[in-house]
Amino acid sequence: KADKAALDSKVDSSQFEENMEQLDERMQDLQSQISDQEQHWNEVLQKFSDAMEGKMDRLELKAFRKHLEESLNRSIEGFEKRVKDDGGAGIKRQLPVPFSCLSCDRMLSMQVPGP
């Protein structure tokens, strides 16, 4: 068993308490700084969000916004139509006439297959 006197000489309780208080103060300061920084970022984000919302609600930009929305809707509809129409792995289309060789680009005369 350890001697209590030897243990007391190795660990000074008052020094330990003082160090723990300093550590606690530092932790509180850091926590306060982090909280302040988070509050600052939230304020900046809110200002930016308000500014962007105000920009898109201005009368000059309403037509532009409407045009963007219509263009997006047309693109989505076109994409959906292409996906619905394309049911197979390949697409059957009429080949262009006259045919040309892929390697030498020489004109070929071939019978066009049916539709």
Side-chain angles (χ1 to χ4, degrees):
K1 292 184 175 182
D3 188 13
K4 188 173 183 179
L7 184 62
D8 285 341
S9 68
K10 292 186 180 192
V11 178
D12 186 15
S13 62
S14 62
Q15 186 179 8
F16 176 76
E17 289 294 326
E18 184 180 323
N19 289 337
M20 290 304 291
E21 287 176 11
Q22 288 176 354
L23 181 62
D24 187 45
E25 288 174 7
R26 289 180 186 163
M27 292 297 287
Q28 288 178 0
D29 288 343
L30 285 173
Q31 191 174 19
S32 173
Q33 290 175 359
I34 290 171
S35 177
D36 291 345
Q37 186 67 32
E38 183 179 3
Q39 183 179 5
H40 175 70
W41 277 109
N42 287 335
E43 290 172 3
V44 169
L45 181 63
Q46 185 63 40
K47 286 179 184 178
F48 182 73
S49 177
D50 292 344
M52 288 303 294
E53 189 64 32
K55 295 276 185 196
M56 290 307 285
D57 284 342
R58 292 183 63 181
L59 294 175
E60 302 91 37
L61 295 177
K62 286 201 183 233
F64 179 67
R65 183 178 186 177
K66 183 178 177 183
H67 173 71
L68 284 177
E69 289 173 353
E70 290 172 355
S71 175
L72 180 64
N73 289 336
R74 280 194 306 268
S75 297
I76 291 172
E77 289 171 2
F79 178 73
E80 288 174 349
K81 187 182 290 185
R82 279 186 279 158
V83 169
K84 286 180 185 176
D85 291 344
D86 185 21
I91 300 172
K92 294 181 180 179
R93 291 190 181 161
Q94 186 71 25
L95 294 173
V97 178
F99 298 105
S100 61
C101 178
L102 293 175
S103 62
C104 66
D105 205 27
R106 181 175 49 100
M107 298 305 283
L108 301 172
S109 60
M110 294 185 67
Q111 195 67 6
V112 178

